[in-house]
Amino acid sequence: MRDYYHIKINLPGGIASPGYLKDILSAAWNANVRNVRFGSRQQLLMTVHYEDMRFLESDFKKLGIFYEVNTDRRPNIVSSYCGEEVFRTGQWLNASEYHSVLDSFDFEASWKPGLKINISDSNQSFTPFFTGNLNFISSPEPHFWYLYVRLKQTNTVFKWDGLVYTNEIGRLSRVMDECMLDEQINEENALKAAVNERIRYVSQPAQQDLELPSFSLPYYEGFNRYESRTWLGLYRRDEEFSIDFLLDVCTLCLNTRVGEICATPWKSLVIKGIEDQYRESWSNILGKHNINVRHAANELAWQTEDHNGDGAELKNELIRHFSKNDTRTFGLCFGIQTRPKSEVFGSVLIRKRPLLRIGQLPVFSVYDLYYTENFNPNSRTQVLFEKGLFKIHLPAQLERLCRRFNNQRSRDTLKTMLSEPDEAKTAVRPVKTAHQCPDCMTIYDPEFGDILGDIPPGTAFEDLPAAYCCPTCDAAKADFVPVELTRFTHLEPA
């Protein structure tokens, strides 16, 4: 059996110049690598046979390329730059501001960040806000950023004091990196005290709390117009991009004045600034390499771990089930986690858990389903939905969870409508309280009981047996939520 090495190359902010990427890909090709991937932190990934590794190392040394082998001690800096312009928000944050932030990190020096750092536009929902240890989020004040810190090996996020100036982000990050990693400071007040002793940086008080948009993943594939130009989103179902295709992409970028190629957290690519006169050339490249675009939106909203074929295979199985059953997943994104210490981004999380091991080798596993608070993938609070599922039961339970999300959204919309009634036409009067299944919307009304469950009329919800379940979808009694039944009375205008 041949041995393999997993290679990771950081693309700070998810940005790579076509020339730089072409050099990397050419070196990989010379080492007999034929396909590469892009990771969930916008890094470049490849797998190299051990006998070819010496050729790759030699070329990378000549090119001065920093890389890691079978490890991720130096995580990539994630940024929302890949969506800048194409998903424009109208805020002060623009391309030059992103580059100013990245320029504040001295990537040529021996120091490389050991913490996960996220740089995010507060008005977008294309890239995650809080998956980093240091999460810089644009504020309403031009050139100033909120900072939210997540301590190592915890799920707790706290707000840093004051707003941080753009050009200070790199310097502050280095000091915090030293405090949290070298000195193992892992408590909020101690960290603030240690950092303030070591550095003075430009900041100002926050005038208002951070307000984030509700999550909505924009469609990021295919040719799309913005302003007077076109951007192209590229997604691969198996997450692999052939090097010969990417080399053609780099060459065309160099020949048509496209200065950057952007990797996204969804393991896809975005190429911005395509001029109309070169649109046909881009179409020809896609045709030459048989690259399909315009996949279904529900297929694009998934994130799997890096270097993991099991997660990608499970993703494709579940997508096929959703397509066959025409399941509505709009507004949701899904993450598949097969390793305990990995992290994926999603409003619905599927976690594989070994149930039986022989030594250290798992021989039988089950799956736990979680969803984030309010189904917001940027929430750090996760709610258990189902535990210990066999793989065969996953699709049906995911479909049930999708129905819960859609029903919750419908209830929230209805609640908003009822809070602002048209008083000239309709009066809304509360009648009584009942309980409703969050998955199928079935209501248990104590006035009528439950004929199918042999529950006589007049039985209060609290008096139902603990084993009571929804007569329509079998959801547990504990899942029911109280609802207020209302009567709408039409009022004639005076």
Side-chain angles (χ1 to χ4, degrees):
M1 180 180 290
R2 305 171 85 186
D3 292 328
Y4 300 87
Y5 293 107
H6 293 311
I7 306 299
K8 186 209 71 171
I9 300 171
N10 286 337
L11 306 175
I15 308 168
S17 71
Y20 176 71
L21 187 58
K22 188 174 183 179
D23 286 343
I24 295 174
L25 296 172
S26 297
W29 182 272
N30 293 335
N32 292 314
V33 179
R34 294 297 176 259
N35 296 286
V36 297
R37 298 174 300 282
F38 295 89
S40 56
R41 289 194 65 82
Q42 299 171 290
Q43 70 274 51
L44 179 65
L45 307 171
M46 64 184 74
T47 301
V48 186
H49 295 148
Y50 80 95
E51 62 265 34
D52 298 317
M53 189 64 193
R54 65 184 186 277
F55 303 114
L56 189 68
E57 288 180 321
S58 175
D59 285 345
F60 279 178
K61 185 176 181 179
K62 293 175 184 175
L63 295 168
I65 293 170
F66 173 79
Y67 63 96
E68 291 186 270
V69 181
N70 294 335
T71 189
D72 190 20
R73 293 192 180 92
R74 303 299 174 188
N76 193 37
I77 297 176
V78 167
S79 85
S80 56
Y81 180 79
C82 53
E84 194 271 333
E85 284 190 325
V86 298
F87 306 124
R88 181 173 288 280
T89 62
Q91 240 197 356
W92 54 268
L93 189 54
N94 54 31
S96 62
E97 196 78 22
Y98 280 105
H99 284 289
S100 293
V101 172
L102 295 173
D103 287 345
S104 71
F105 292 86
D106 187 3
F107 294 112
E108 299 302 322
S110 59
W111 178 77
K112 303 286 190 301
L115 295 174
K116 294 179 180 178
I117 300 173
N118 289 18
I119 312 294
S120 302
D121 181 349
S122 61
N123 287 339
Q124 56 85 43
S125 59
F126 186 46
T127 63
F129 290 106
F130 301 116
T131 58
N133 301 113
L134 306 181
N135 303 281
F136 294 93
I137 303 173
S138 63
S139 78
E141 297 295 325
H143 315 299
F144 283 89
W145 303 72
Y146 296 102
L147 169 58
Y148 286 81
V149 179
R150 178 166 63 93
L151 297 171
K152 294 287 288 183
Q153 308 301 322
T154 73
N155 204 32
T156 303
V157 175
F158 65 86
K159 183 180 177 182
W160 196 254
D161 298 332
L163 303 177
V164 181
Y165 183 57
T166 289
N167 293 344
E168 301 280 25
I169 288 178
R171 214 161 57 92
L172 177 61
S173 296
R174 179 165 185 169
V175 171
M176 298 186 76
D177 190 286
E178 293 169 350
C179 290
M180 293 172 68
L181 297 183
D182 297 344
E183 301 178 29
Q184 296 294 304
I185 299 175
N186 204 36
E187 193 275 327
E188 177 180 348
N189 292 330
L191 178 62
K192 289 179 177 179
V195 170
N196 290 330
E197 284 179 4
R198 289 165 173 75
I199 187 174
R200 293 291 180 266
Y201 58 93
V202 179
S203 66
Q204 69 177 44
Q207 300 301 316
Q208 62 189 73
D209 291 335
L210 173 65
E211 294 184 11
L212 296 180
S214 58
F215 177 79
S216 178
L217 182 65
Y219 192 85
Y220 59 83
E221 197 195 15
F223 288 102
N224 300 270
R225 292 287 294 175
Y226 73 105
E227 297 180 349
S228 60
R229 292 174 294 174
T230 295
W231 63 271
L232 171 62
L234 296 170
Y235 159 85
R236 302 299 289 154
R237 183 169 285 164
D238 59 4
E239 300 177 357
E240 293 195 342
F241 291 81
S242 69
I243 286 184
D244 56 348
F245 166 64
L246 291 178
L247 286 172
D248 279 353
V249 166
C250 292
T251 299
L252 185 56
C253 285
L254 292 169
N255 292 338
T256 59
R257 299 187 296 276
V258 173
E260 295 168 332
I261 297 172
C262 297
T264 82
W266 303 98
K267 305 190 176 183
S268 59
L269 293 179
V270 169
I271 299 164
K272 298 182 274 188
I274 297 174
E275 298 177 15
D276 289 346
Q277 59 184 318
Y278 302 117
R279 168 70 182 270
E280 185 176 354
S281 299
W282 284 97
S283 295
N284 290 340
I285 279 187
L286 298 184
K288 173 184 175 182
H289 295 277
N290 194 31
I291 303 295
N292 182 33
V293 294
R294 295 298 177 186
H295 292 84
N298 67 353
E299 184 172 345
L300 302 180
W302 291 75
Q303 194 175 88
T304 60
E305 297 156 320
D306 300 333
H307 296 302
N308 191 288
D310 290 344
E313 182 180 341
L314 179 58
K315 175 193 78 171
N316 290 328
E317 289 180 18
L318 295 171
I319 288 170
R320 285 194 293 269
H321 175 87
F322 283 171
S323 298
K324 180 180 178 181
N325 292 275
D326 203 21
T327 304
R328 178 177 173 82
T329 61
F330 178 78
L332 290 171
C333 60
F334 303 83
I336 297 178
Q337 185 182 46
T338 65
R339 298 189 296 263
K341 292 186 178 181
S342 67
E343 183 172 290
V344 291
F345 179 70
S347 45
V348 174
L349 302 173
I350 304 161
R351 290 182 177 163
K352 186 176 182 180
R353 175 166 53 88
L355 197 63
L356 179 64
R357 294 178 182 269
I358 296 180
Q360 295 298 315
L361 182 67
V363 294
F364 184 74
S365 298
V366 293
Y367 296 86
D368 300 331
L369 279 184
Y370 292 81
Y371 62 94
T372 52
E373 186 178 29
N374 296 322
F375 290 94
N376 181 350
N378 287 300
S379 170
R380 304 303 301 181
T381 303
Q382 298 171 1
V383 181
L384 178 65
F385 182 69
E386 289 290 348
K387 188 175 183 179
L389 295 171
F390 297 143
K391 188 176 182 180
I392 193 173
H393 296 143
L394 261 181
Q397 293 303 318
L398 273 173
E399 197 163 0
R400 180 174 154 236
L401 186 52
C402 290
R403 288 200 304 270
R404 173 172 291 194
F405 166 73
N406 291 325
N407 292 335
Q408 176 176 306
R409 176 172 280 188
S410 298
R411 285 197 305 273
D412 292 344
T413 301
L414 180 60
K415 200 176 293 183
T416 301
M417 293 170 58
L418 295 180
S419 66
E420 300 177 358
D422 184 350
E423 296 180 358
K425 297 182 180 180
T426 306
V428 182
R429 301 175 183 174
V431 178
K432 56 188 172 184
T433 298
H435 286 77
Q436 186 173 46
C437 172
D439 299 332
C440 67
M441 303 291 278
T442 296
I443 291 178
Y444 176 79
D445 188 337
E447 181 180 347
F448 302 103
D450 180 359
I451 296 175
L452 296 176
D454 294 326
I455 305 297
T459 303
F461 182 80
E462 293 76 13
D463 296 332
L464 293 174
Y468 177 80
C469 58
C470 174
T472 304
C473 72
D474 293 329
K477 173 188 175 183
D479 291 338
F480 277 62
V481 294
V483 293
E484 193 174 63
L485 300 183
T486 55
R487 178 173 70 246
F488 294 85
T489 303
H490 188 74
L491 300 178
E492 296 296 334

